[in-house]
């Protein structure tokens, strides 16, 4: 592959061994193997002969042999020879998964034992059960399959951060720029397939210069194929129409016309083909031959800076994890200094040896480069998680990534200046509190361009960001504001000596209050540029005879000429 090209590892047939999915039917005491512990979040994964990888392809492309519901097909017709043998004592029972399609139950995946009996995906459940009454039929679980595919995608992050889902059973990996870390594209593909096989998956993969070519190769059932740049057309010409993932109705129409492979379509005039069958077919052809590049959408944010450490011996202790995090943070500091930025969002990814991935996120209130502070923040995060993180048999890969940054100017300090300035101490405290308690528990208030008190402020997460200085001639000389402000003002019953005079008593929430002192009014005009801005408000600071202070305003309602009184806040 050219240095400036990018490739995808397509593994459309990452197939969960059906021997490990018997628990999907909820049977106790089954002799089949359990799924790998690394993907425990999808215990009901129903992968059988279905495909999981970069492009969905038919695992069993052989057509169903002739037969009927009352008489199984001759094994000689299937090329198997002899009558179907009965399962030996202690042997695995043939297993098939089925799902509802077009009003009928049809097989969606089969085990190797069921395949040997001549069963294929697409066969009706009634016919399969009539042929082989001992067949174990289990309903498929697409939701569990999706969870398992997400877990496999998390595990593939160890090869590249650009991992995308490509259909319900496929993954796309952009390996441009990282294949040399594993000894080349072929070595990377072999390592990926070998490790998936060790975890109980049957996987297939292909490498190509474009995503469309890799997907087409895998959809056709090919495996371990590496297409050199410029060889995309030759690689897909002999493939069947299944490589294009066409609509079944369109594929059937093309098949009836005698067009059975991609090369047959490429030989036709493009204008006539587009006019007859639509632009989607032409677009898929261009993607398959590499004439157009289909962008991929990574399932996770692409890190700006990454540093990782691969371990010969797995680690499981928190002290070892934090020590590695500090070492990686020191390497991140050099990159951030060259960029003139500081980290605002960091992620520590811990890859377990059994495939599971644990992720710890830390957000800072100000740009940060200090490795000691970064290590301390992850210490707080680990304490906050408690026993939620299970190291299992240990982590063999630790990765520290920067997901968001902000410009961070260098600051010149005096020789006699205290290295721990008050603002730095406050920033460190706020970061530790938000990391330990959660971001929703630590926040500040920021100004909003609005005259209405209920819209004049909003929550601000960046507490340590310097406030903008407002010129003196633009500052508003407004009165004191209450410590507690109601989101919606509450109506009160107020009594005054004269209609527009100061109130002497009011009733709020069925309690009676007598006014001792009152100060005001402070008039706040409506925002005329907003729709339904409302009338003017006259605010008063009111103190009752017990010393409690309230913030009330008088407003003329549209439905009544008599002004109404509302309680908007409480002073300390």
């Amino acid at each position: 592959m050219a240095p400036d090209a990018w490739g995808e590892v397509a593994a459309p047939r990452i197939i969960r061994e059906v021997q490990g999915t018997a628990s999907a039917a909820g049977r106790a005491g089954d002799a089949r193997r359990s799924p790998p512990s690394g993907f425990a979040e999808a215990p009901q994964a129903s992968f059988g002969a279905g495909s999981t990888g970069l492009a969905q392809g038919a695992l069993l492309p052989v057509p169903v042999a002739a037969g009927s519901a009352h008489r199984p097909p001759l094994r000689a017709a299937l090329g198997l020879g002899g009558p179907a043998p009965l399962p030996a004592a202690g042997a695995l029972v043939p297993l098939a998964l089925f799902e509802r399609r077009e009003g009928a139950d049809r097989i969606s995946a089969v085990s190797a034992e069921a395949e040997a009996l001549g069963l294929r995906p697409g066969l009706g459940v009634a016919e399969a059960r009539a042929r082989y009454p001992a067949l174990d039929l289990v309903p498929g679980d697409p939701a569990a399959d999706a969870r398992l595919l997400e877990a496999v995608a998390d595990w593939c992050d160890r090869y590249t951060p650009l991992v995308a889902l490509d259909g319900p059973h496929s993954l796309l990996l952009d390996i441009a720029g990282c294949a040399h870390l594993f000894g080349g594209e072929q070595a990377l593909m072999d390592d990926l397939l070998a490790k998936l096989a060790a975890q109980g998956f049957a996987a297939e993969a292909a490498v190509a210069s474009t995503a469309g070519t890799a997907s087409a190769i895998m959809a056709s059932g090919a495996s371990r194929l590496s297409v050199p740049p410029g060889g995309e057309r030759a690689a897909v010409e002999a493939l069947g129409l299944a490589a294009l993932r066409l609509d079944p109705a369109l594929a059937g129409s093309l098949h009836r016309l005698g067009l059975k492979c991609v090369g047959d379509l490429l030989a036709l005039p493009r204008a006539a083909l587009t006019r007859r069958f639509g632009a989607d077919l032409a677009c898929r052809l261009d993607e398959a031959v590499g004439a157009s590049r289909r962008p991929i959408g990574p399932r996770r944010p692409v890190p700006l800076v990454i540093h990782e450490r691969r371990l010969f011996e797995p680690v499981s202790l928190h002290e070892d994890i934090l020590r590695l995090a500090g070492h990686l943070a020191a390497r991140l500091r050099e990159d951030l200094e060259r960029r003139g930025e500081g980290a605002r969002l960091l992620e520590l990814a811990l890859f377990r040896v059994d495939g599971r991935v644990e992720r710890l996120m830390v957000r800072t209130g100000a740009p940060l480069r200090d490795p000691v502070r970064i290590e301390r923040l992850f210490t707080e995060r680990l304490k906050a998680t408690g026993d939620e993180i299970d190291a299992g048999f240990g982590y063999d890969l630790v990765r520290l990534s920067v997901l968001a940054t902000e410009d961070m100017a260098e600051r010149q300090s005096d020789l006699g200046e205290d290295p721990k300035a008050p603002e730095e101490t406050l920033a460190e405290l706020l970061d530790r509190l938000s990391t330990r308690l959660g971001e929703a528990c630590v926040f500040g208030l920021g100004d909003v361009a609005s005259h209405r008190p209920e819209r004049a402020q909003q929550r601000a997460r960046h507490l340590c960001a310097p406030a903008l200085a407002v010129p003196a001639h633009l500052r508003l000389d407004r009165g004191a504001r209450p410590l507690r402000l109601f989101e919606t003002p509450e109506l009160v019953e107020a009594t005054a000596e004269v209609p527009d005079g100061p109130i002497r008593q009011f009733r709020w929430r069925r309690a009676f209050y007598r006014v001792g002192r009152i100060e005001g009014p402070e008039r706040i005009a409506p925002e005329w540029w907003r729709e339904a801005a409302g009338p003017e408000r006259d605010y008063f600071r009111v103190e009752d005879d017990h010393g409690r202070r309230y913030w009330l305003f008088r407003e003329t309602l549209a439905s009544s000429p008599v002004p109404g009184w509302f309680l908007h806040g409480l002073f300390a």
Side-chain angles (χ1 to χ4, degrees):
M1 180 179 296
D4 57 345
W6 59 279
E8 295 77 23
V9 173
R13 297 195 288 179
I14 299 178
I15 306 136
R16 188 70 182 87
E17 289 188 357
V18 292
Q19 291 90 340
T21 59
S23 60
R27 297 180 178 85
D30 198 343
R32 298 187 178 91
R33 295 193 305 248
S34 60
S37 58
F39 304 105
E41 59 269 11
Q44 298 182 350
S46 58
F47 280 79
S51 58
T52 300
L54 263 106
Q56 181 178 3
L59 177 63
L60 306 172
V62 181
V64 178
S68 67
H70 303 285
R71 182 180 61 192
L74 296 177
R75 292 177 60 81
L78 297 173
L80 302 176
L86 294 176
L92 294 177
V93 178
L95 174 65
L97 307 179
F98 68 91
E99 60 185 19
R100 194 76 173 175
R101 295 180 185 173
E102 299 178 355
D105 292 334
R106 298 188 178 277
I107 292 179
S108 59
V110 295
S111 66
E113 293 78 13
E115 178 188 359
L117 297 177
L119 300 179
R120 300 291 185 267
L123 184 66
V125 170
E127 182 176 354
R129 186 178 284 114
R131 290 184 183 183
Y132 305 101
L135 178 65
D136 189 5
L137 289 166
V138 179
D141 190 349
D145 292 349
R147 292 194 298 270
L148 182 59
L149 185 62
E150 290 280 352
V152 175
D154 274 341
W155 177 85
C156 288
D157 282 348
R158 65 174 55 236
Y159 295 99
T160 171
L162 303 177
V163 180
L165 301 178
D166 187 32
H169 308 293
S170 310
L171 294 176
L172 277 172
L173 280 67
D174 187 349
I175 60 173
C178 60
H180 67 282
L181 301 175
F182 301 89
E185 297 170 355
Q186 188 65 39
L188 186 151
M189 180 170 57
D190 294 341
D191 182 73
L192 183 147
L193 296 179
K195 289 184 177 179
L196 285 175
Q199 297 184 43
F201 293 89
E204 294 183 355
V207 179
S209 299
T210 63
T213 305
S215 298
I217 293 172
M218 293 312 303
S220 64
S223 180
R224 294 182 181 266
L225 182 62
S226 181
V227 180
E232 293 83 3
R233 186 184 181 97
V236 302
E237 279 183 336
L239 302 180
L241 296 183
L244 301 179
R245 300 187 189 181
L246 301 176
D247 182 78
L250 177 58
S253 300
L254 295 174
H255 187 77
R256 287 191 296 271
L257 293 174
L259 305 173
K260 299 181 179 180
C261 64
V262 177
D264 296 339
L265 296 178
L266 294 175
L268 297 176
R270 174 57 61 91
L273 190 67
T274 304
R275 184 170 57 254
R276 178 74 179 275
F277 300 105
D280 182 65
L281 177 60
C283 179
R284 291 180 182 269
L285 280 174
D286 291 339
E287 292 177 354
V289 300
S292 65
R293 292 180 175 269
R294 173 165 59 95
I296 68 172
R299 50 187 294 272
R300 298 187 57 83
V302 180
L304 302 175
V305 185
I306 296 178
H307 280 286
E308 64 182 30
R309 172 64 65 88
R310 296 180 182 271
L311 307 172
F312 182 75
E313 289 291 340
V315 298
S316 57
L317 298 179
H318 285 188
E319 294 79 4
D320 296 333
I321 296 173
L322 293 173
R323 189 180 303 109
L324 289 171
H327 173 72
L328 296 176
R331 296 168 59 184
L332 279 179
R333 179 176 188 172
E334 300 175 1
D335 295 335
L336 293 174
E337 287 178 348
R338 284 194 295 267
R339 297 165 61 101
E341 297 173 338
R344 293 300 303 268
L345 180 61
L346 299 106
E347 178 190 71
L348 183 65
L350 308 173
F351 293 79
R352 282 188 357 186
V353 295
D354 56 5
R356 187 169 179 175
V357 183
E358 302 284 357
R359 301 182 187 275
L360 302 174
M361 307 289 291
V362 165
R363 189 183 299 272
T364 65
L368 180 62
R369 297 177 191 161
D370 187 4
V372 177
R373 290 182 56 187
I374 293 177
E375 181 180 351
R376 190 175 303 170
L377 291 179
F378 281 110
T379 302
E380 296 292 340
R381 177 61 72 192
L382 283 174
K383 291 180 180 178
T385 55
D387 298 332
E388 296 179 6
I389 294 182
D390 181 13
F393 292 101
Y395 306 105
D396 61 349
L397 173 61
V398 179
R399 174 184 295 167
L400 183 60
S401 307
V402 178
L403 302 181
T405 61
E406 187 175 313
D407 293 339
M408 184 177 181
E410 299 291 342
R411 188 173 63 90
Q412 181 69 36
S413 58
D414 297 331
L415 294 178
E417 183 180 352
D418 185 2
K420 289 188 175 294
E423 62 272 14
E424 294 179 353
T425 304
L426 176 61
E428 182 178 357
L429 173 62
L430 294 176
D431 286 343
R432 289 197 298 108
L433 290 176
S434 61
T435 302
R436 186 69 177 270
L437 304 177
E439 297 177 8
C441 299
V442 181
F443 61 91
L445 295 177
D447 293 335
V448 178
S450 177
H451 296 299
R452 292 297 192 187
E454 61 269 21
R455 293 195 294 261
Q457 289 182 321
Q458 64 180 3
R459 286 194 176 192
R461 186 176 64 242
H462 308 312
L463 301 180
C464 300
L468 296 178
V470 180
H473 66 280
L474 295 180
R475 297 175 184 172
L476 297 178
D477 187 14
R478 61 185 183 184
R481 294 293 184 258
L483 181 63
R484 179 183 178 187
L485 188 71
F486 297 151
E487 184 176 0
T488 302
E490 300 184 9
L491 182 65
V492 300
E493 299 177 6
T495 304
E497 296 180 350
V498 295
D500 292 334
I503 60 175
R504 294 303 180 189
Q505 58 189 17
F506 64 94
R507 185 182 300 275
W508 173 55
R509 294 182 180 178
R510 294 184 294 182
F512 181 77
Y513 301 90
R514 188 178 300 277
V515 176
R517 293 187 298 176
I518 186 170
E519 180 183 3
E522 175 189 352
R523 174 158 294 185
I524 298 180
E527 297 173 342
W528 53 267
W529 58 91
R530 296 178 181 267
E531 296 182 2
E536 297 178 344
R537 295 179 181 178
D538 291 333
Y539 279 86
F540 296 85
R541 292 182 291 276
V542 178
E543 181 179 326
D544 64 8
D545 52 0
H546 293 284
R548 293 169 297 199
R549 297 189 298 165
Y550 310 88
W551 204 37
L552 288 86
F553 69 85
R554 180 178 58 197
E555 183 179 74
T556 303
L557 302 177
S559 58
S560 174
V562 180
W565 286 85
F566 297 84
L567 180 62
H568 204 173
L570 302 175
F571 289 92

